[in-house]
Amino acid sequence: MHTVGTPIELLASAARGATAGTAADPVAFPQFGWAIQFILDLTAAATDVGDTLDVYVQTDVNDVDFVDVAHFTQCLGNGGAKQRYLKIGRNTAQTAFGAADVLTAGNKRDMFGRRWRVRWVIVDAGAANASFTFSVKAVPI
């Protein structure tokens, strides 16, 4: 059972290589609390400076389509371990956007759906060695 303040794993920690865009399985949890804090835990990033990792959290808007609600600040291949945080809140006005509108790095949308998932894009600078080890958790507050 999920309770306020208890972390919910959206994406388990694993090493991941270059991908054009991969999404994890959705996780459903009750809508409670007034906000959700998302935590990106990057435990290994030891490749090239040009390698990049972009991590997004998405929610479903109609039990079918997922939209980006959080886009963590981009991580570089030589940036080392770090944690990044983003919080979305209820009762916050949301600017209108289209389904194809890109959510830029370091930004968020204050939207809540029933299910949540993580999407990521890893770009290799050309040495074919890009590898990032990371996980993502949600903490309802």
Side-chain angles (χ1 to χ4, degrees), residues 24-134:
D25 291 334
V27 175
F29 55 90
Q31 294 191 23
F32 50 77
W34 59 272
I36 300 175
Q37 176 177 284
F38 298 106
I39 304 166
L40 167 62
D41 189 9
L42 178 65
T43 55
T47 58
D48 302 321
V49 66
D51 296 344
T52 59
L53 167 66
D54 284 275
V55 178
Y56 305 79
V57 176
Q58 299 180 310
T59 194
D60 67 351
V61 292
N62 55 12
D63 288 331
V64 177
D65 300 309
F66 282 82
V67 297
D68 297 336
V69 294
H71 182 173
F72 291 97
T73 303
Q74 187 178 70
C75 299
L76 299 178
N78 68 341
K82 60 182 52 70
Q83 286 189 329
R84 302 229 189 260
Y85 305 90
L86 267 172
K87 182 177 76 173
I88 63 171
R90 294 187 188 275
N91 302 324
T92 303
Q94 175 59 57
T95 305
F97 65 95
D101 292 352
V102 175
L103 183 59
T104 57
N107 285 292
K108 64 172 180 123
R109 293 180 175 130
D110 292 296
M111 295 180 58
F112 286 68
R114 188 179 63 80
R115 298 178 301 159
W116 306 85
R117 73 178 184 188
V118 177
R119 179 173 74 86
W120 64 93
V121 177
I122 296 173
V123 176
D124 191 300
N129 65 348
S131 178
F132 294 87
T133 302
F134 62 98

